[in-house]
């Protein structure tokens, strides 16, 4: 089975990774003190990663307003889901908003707009 993750959590960890990468890149710039141009390039790249991360965080905020809050039938906790199928953020139980898909094998393809079943 593929390691599915709740979409919002996945984007959030991506944004967190970007901040981390940004700081690491800026940190490497310190090793090039003798080459100011290289150092500046590292600093700018690091800064870009951090800016990208804030953009991603902003995007999460936008997505969260569209996300549907549901109570997970498996663990009873509230979780936010995106699209027609998503995973519980706590126990990774596959969740669906579409009764047609209930009981079917979890497939992220159901989220795609060009999927045959979503064309109605
Ligand atoms: Zn759950």
């Amino acid at each position: 089975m593929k390691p599915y993750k709740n979409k919002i959590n996945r984007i959030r960890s991506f944004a967190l990774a970007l901040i981390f990468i940004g700081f690491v890149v800026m940190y490497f710039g310190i090793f090039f003190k003798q080459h100011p141009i290289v150092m500046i390039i590292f600093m700018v790249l690091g800064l870009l990663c951090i800016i990208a991360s804030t953009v991603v965080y902003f995007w999460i905020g936008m997505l969260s307003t569209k996300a549907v809050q549901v109570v997970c039938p498996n663990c009873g906790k509230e979780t936010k889901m995106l699209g027609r199928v998503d995973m519980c953020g706590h126990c990774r139980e596959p969740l669906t908003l579409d009764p047609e898909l209930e009981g079917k094998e979890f497939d992220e393809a159901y989220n795609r707009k060009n999927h045959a079943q979503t064309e109605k």
Side-chain angles (χ1 to χ4, degrees):
M1 194 188 162
K2 289 178 206 166
Y4 287 117
K5 259 174 114 182
N6 179 277
K7 287 190 195 83
I8 291 176
N9 285 355
R10 192 161 45 188
I11 300 165
R12 201 170 278 150
S13 43
F14 172 67
L16 202 69
L18 269 180
I19 290 186
F20 187 72
I21 291 164
F23 278 113
V24 169
V25 169
M26 283 169 96
Y27 180 75
F28 274 116
I30 296 168
F31 292 109
F32 295 94
K33 269 182 189 163
Q34 277 81 23
H35 310 279
I37 292 165
V38 181
M39 195 175 88
I40 287 166
I41 290 170
F42 270 101
M43 291 292 171
V44 168
L45 280 177
L47 205 64
L48 281 177
C49 283
I50 291 164
I51 290 168
S53 162
T54 50
V55 170
V56 171
Y57 266 114
F58 185 72
W59 183 47
I60 296 168
M62 301 280 283
L63 283 179
S64 295
T65 60
K66 282 198 291 179
V68 184
Q69 190 128 26
V70 291
V71 175
C72 171
N74 191 42
C75 66
K77 286 178 189 162
E78 282 193 346
T79 185
K80 279 182 174 178
M81 56 181 291
L82 281 175
R84 294 170 90 203
V85 288
D86 202 353
M87 290 228 128
C88 171
H90 307 283
C91 66
R92 297 191 174 184
E93 169 86 2
L95 302 168
T96 178
L97 283 177
D98 194 333
E100 269 180 56
L101 300 176
E102 226 163 83
K104 287 191 186 175
E105 205 183 323
F106 186 77
D107 189 348
E108 291 208 327
Y110 293 135
N111 281 321
R112 271 180 230 144
K113 281 193 179 117
N114 59 3
H115 191 269
Q117 281 190 305
T118 57
E119 270 171 26
K120 280 171 201 168

